[in-house]
Amino acid sequence: MIDWHPRRLVSGTEWTMTVPGHAEPLAVIRRLRFEGRPVYRAVTWAPTSGGRELIGYYRSGDEAAVAVWRRYVEQQSTRHDAASRTHGGRERG
């Protein structure tokens, strides 16, 4: 049996992950080869690679996308929690 998946027909090796309504992408996911196997690297989005932070390496593009989404949700939750603790710049009692 031949190891084949329709994803092998995809010609691109780099994708951006976006949230509708946001001006900039969340992350860049890139397909790489490591020891002959595909691996997917996810990094935060920035206009140049120098401004990007590593999120991680994953066995599939789906795993990479899930990791990016979880990071985004966690960051939004943290920001929401911090904002909800203050009112007018002062901590609530």
Side-chain angles (χ1 to χ4, degrees), residues 26 44 53 70-80:
L26 294 178
T44 59
E53 293 178 33
R70 285 184 177 159
R71 184 178 191 274
Y72 169 74
V73 169
E74 183 179 306
Q75 285 180 332
Q76 294 306 307
S77 177
T78 301
R79 287 180 187 144
H80 175 75

Side-chain angles (χ1 to χ4, degrees), residues 23-56:
E24 295 182 337
L26 294 178
V28 177
I29 298 173
R30 178 175 280 220
R31 185 179 63 209
L32 308 167
R33 286 200 121 3
F34 181 72
E35 295 181 353
R37 300 177 126 180
V39 65
Y40 297 80
R41 180 184 67 206
V43 294
T44 59
W45 186 87
T48 63
S49 61
R52 298 175 181 174
E53 293 178 33
L54 178 65
I55 297 171

Side-chain angles (χ1 to χ4, degrees), residues 17-26 69 72:
M17 189 167 165
T18 60
V19 173
H22 286 227
E24 295 182 337
L26 294 178
W69 185 252
Y72 169 74

